Structure formats: C-alpha cells, structure tokens
Amino acid sequence: MTIMLDFDGTITRQDTTDLILESFAHPSWRDVEQDWESGRIGSMECMRRQVALIRASAAELDAFADQIAVDPHFPDLAHQCRARGIPLTIVSDGLDRVIMRVLARYDLRLPVRANRLVALSGGHWSLAFPNAASECGAGTCKCGLALAESEAVVLIGDGRSDFCVAETAQIVFAKSKLADHCRRNGISYLPFETLGDVAQWLTHAPVRTLKNGAVP
C-alpha cells in the first residue's frame, strides 16, 4: 500500500495558502478565488494568479509558515508509517515551501508532491507546476499521481483537491468537504477528526490486509 496525505486542512489546521494570501497578498486575491469557486477557472490558474499578488520576503513567508498550527498527531503517523514500511507521500495542491518548513519543524523527511513556489525580485513570487497534467485543471494532478502507483492507494484528505482521487483510492479517510463529497456520491470512506484516528486505525490494520485494499 501507499498513503497519499493531503496537507492544507489535513496536516495543518487551516488552509495555509489562504492564510498567506490574507496576510501578504493584494485584496483582489478574493476575486480570483471567486472565479475558481464559480468554476470559471481551474485551481492551477487560480493559484498562479493569486501567488502573483503576494508581496513578502522569503524570511517573512518562512517565519509565517513556522507559526502555522499542525495536527499534533502528524509526527506520530509519519513515524508509524516508517516503522511499518508503509510509503507516505504528502500530495498537495498547495505550496512546497510551506510544506518543507513544517517538515523541518519536526525533522521529518518525506516525499512531497506540490506546487513549487519560486522567489522573484522585490518580494514577488511565482508558481511552477511540476505535477500538473494537460487534461487536469489542478496545479497538482492527484489523480495522475494515484494512477501511477502500483500499490493500493490510501487517501487521507479534506477538500476539493481530493475529490478525484476518492473515486479510485482503495481506502479513503475523509473529513470536511471531502466527507460531504463522498456521502453525496456514494463513495465509501472512513471519517476522521485528527490524524490520531488514522494512526490508531493503522495500529490495528495488518499490512497484509491493507495491501489487498480491504478495510478491516
């Protein structure tokens, strides 16, 4: 099995991109957000335009990221996966720089698939999309990454960027908007409040069973 773990709202308590935009971007980022929510643009175009509105130094962004609240059970989940030989990858439509700052806080080294935040001169920023796909409007095409896996996929997420993966993942842990989506579309899922719930489930789930994609 392999675990795909969302970042914003799953590892963190809130959407970190929104927090950064609220603190450092021109207020017009909300107009771009409205275009995305109404379906006029995809998340990749939304993120590209919003990040271009940020004005902050690298030190300011890093200091801000260091204060972001994190699920206290995240390190335990990461260590448990490592001890049991279960691949754990953070797959996010958010910002890689923020994710790496959180991992450094806990001295964790995990694979990360996310949008790449690129520093420009004068406190300006841009985005690169190393995990995009031509047929997908997201900056990070989680479906494409899931389909490339040879093992059973376990998804842990909370939001819209996880909707497509929930259709194909063998096991889905969901809360918030993702849980609502699963209920509306008849997708089987396991509800969770914190990553401690997931860690507890893994403790009682034989790896042999998980590799078969079955829910104990």
Side-chain angles (χ1 to χ4, degrees), residues 155-212:
L155 169 68
I156 308 170
D158 80 305
R160 289 175 60 176
S161 69
D162 303 305
F163 286 4
C164 64
V165 188
E167 305 283 346
T168 58
Q170 281 70 26
I171 300 171
V172 178
F173 285 91
K175 65 177 180 178
S176 191
K177 292 180 181 178
L178 179 58
D180 293 340
H181 173 78
C182 289
R183 284 193 294 269
R184 287 195 305 267
N185 293 276
I187 300 170
S188 297
Y189 74 98
L190 299 173
F192 76 101
E193 294 295 329
T194 73
L195 293 177
D197 299 329
V198 183
Q200 183 178 23
W201 180 84
L202 282 174
T203 298
H204 301 290
V207 173
R208 171 180 54 79
T209 302
L210 294 175
K211 285 184 176 180
N212 292 330

Side-chain angles (χ1 to χ4, degrees), residues 12-204:
T12 62
R13 302 283 191 154
Q14 296 175 272
D15 187 303
T16 60
T17 303
D18 283 353
L19 292 175
I20 288 172
L21 292 171
E22 288 171 356
S23 298
F24 299 108
H26 187 275
S28 59
W29 75 267
R30 296 185 181 277
D31 298 328
V32 180
E33 188 83 1
Q34 184 59 45
D35 286 342
W36 172 64
E37 290 179 348
S38 65
R40 289 189 289 269
I41 60 174
S43 66
M44 179 165 63
E45 179 63 19
C46 176
M47 291 283 289
R48 189 199 310 273
R49 288 164 55 182
Q50 289 178 327
V51 165
L53 297 171
I54 294 174
R55 298 294 180 268
S57 68
E60 287 173 325
L61 284 186
D62 290 345
F64 190 85
D66 290 342
Q67 301 303 313
I68 289 171
V70 173
D71 185 318
H73 303 282
F74 166 56
D76 294 337
L77 177 63
H79 291 313
Q80 185 179 148
C81 288
R82 180 178 180 182
R84 300 191 70 182
I86 302 172
L88 173 65
T89 302
I90 297 175
V91 182
S92 170
D93 206 19
L95 309 176
D96 65 341
R97 189 183 187 103
V98 177
I99 297 171
M100 298 309 295
R101 293 295 296 191
V102 169
L103 291 181
R105 190 190 309 180
Y106 298 100
D107 195 26
L108 291 172
R109 293 169 178 81
L110 295 172
V112 174
R113 304 288 182 267
N115 302 318
R116 184 175 300 142
L117 191 59
V118 180
L120 305 175
S121 61
H124 292 239
W125 298 84
S126 69
L127 273 186
F129 302 97
N131 304 291
S134 58
E135 68 279 5
C136 178
T140 297
C141 182
K142 294 187 178 183
C143 281
L145 294 172
L147 290 172
E149 292 289 347
S150 59
E151 303 287 346
V153 171
V154 176
L155 169 68
I156 308 170
D158 80 305
R160 289 175 60 176
S161 69
D162 303 305
F163 286 4
C164 64
V165 188
E167 305 283 346
T168 58
Q170 281 70 26
I171 300 171
V172 178
F173 285 91
K175 65 177 180 178
S176 191
K177 292 180 181 178
L178 179 58
D180 293 340
H181 173 78
C182 289
R183 284 193 294 269
R184 287 195 305 267
N185 293 276
I187 300 170
S188 297
Y189 74 98
L190 299 173
F192 76 101
E193 294 295 329
T194 73
L195 293 177
D197 299 329
V198 183
Q200 183 178 23
W201 180 84
L202 282 174
T203 298
H204 301 290

